[in-house]
Amino acid sequence: MAASETVRLRLQFDYPPPATPHCTAFWLLVDLNRCRVVTDLISLIRQRFGFSSGALLGLYLEGGLLPPSESARLVRDNDCLSLVWQGLLSQVLCAVSVGKRARHQAFPAALVVRSRRP
C-alpha cells in the first residue's frame, strides 16, 4: 500500500461556492494518491463545495490553467489555486451550437471564442 501523500492547498474562488456563500478563500487537504489527474481534483472540489456536476470549473496555478488531463501532482503543498466558474455545460453546448454551422463538441467556456468580421 502506498504511503499517503497529502498536500494542503489554498483555494481562491472568483465567486463564493454554493455550500459557503459567505467566503471565497479556503484551505483544502488533498490526498494525491486519490486524485490522479486535475479532473479528479476538480471533482473533489465540486463535491466539497456544493457545485453541480454540470458546473464547469477552471483551475489555475499562478495564472496558468491546469489542463484537466494533466497529473494532479502538478500541485504542491501550500500552493494557491484559483477557481473560476465558467458556466454550466448545458450553456456552453448551446453557445457552441448557435451559428451557421452546429458543432457537437463540448468546450470549456473559456475556449468558446466568437470571431468578428469587420
Side-chain angles (χ1 to χ4, degrees):
M1 184 168 168
S4 178
E5 190 173 341
T6 57
V7 293
R8 185 177 78 153
L9 301 174
R10 182 181 170 144
L11 304 178
Q12 182 66 50
F13 291 86
D14 60 341
Y15 292 103
T20 53
H22 59 280
C23 190
T24 59
F26 300 89
W27 286 100
L28 180 67
L29 194 61
V30 176
D31 182 357
L32 292 179
N33 292 323
R34 293 184 175 205
C35 293
R36 293 181 320 118
V37 293
V38 172
T39 300
D40 296 336
L41 183 55
I42 292 172
S43 294
L44 175 67
I45 293 168
R46 265 195 203 105
Q47 178 186 18
R48 293 264 176 99
F49 294 96
F51 287 98
S52 71
S53 60
L56 294 175
L57 296 175
L59 195 57
Y60 294 82
L61 176 63
E62 296 180 12
L65 177 67
L66 291 174
S69 60
E70 195 61 55
S71 171
R73 296 191 185 278
L74 281 173
V75 297
R76 295 186 180 162
D77 199 36
N78 294 321
D79 274 348
C80 182
L81 302 177
S82 299
L83 282 105
V84 178
W85 184 75
Q86 298 175 330
L88 298 173
L89 181 58
S90 60
Q91 292 172 336
V92 173
L93 288 174
C94 181
V96 170
S97 65
V98 171
K100 292 182 180 177
R101 289 188 231 157
R103 296 187 301 245
H104 301 288
Q105 298 175 349
F107 294 100
L111 298 178
V112 177
V113 178
R114 298 196 185 274
S115 61
R116 293 185 180 161
R117 294 189 179 200

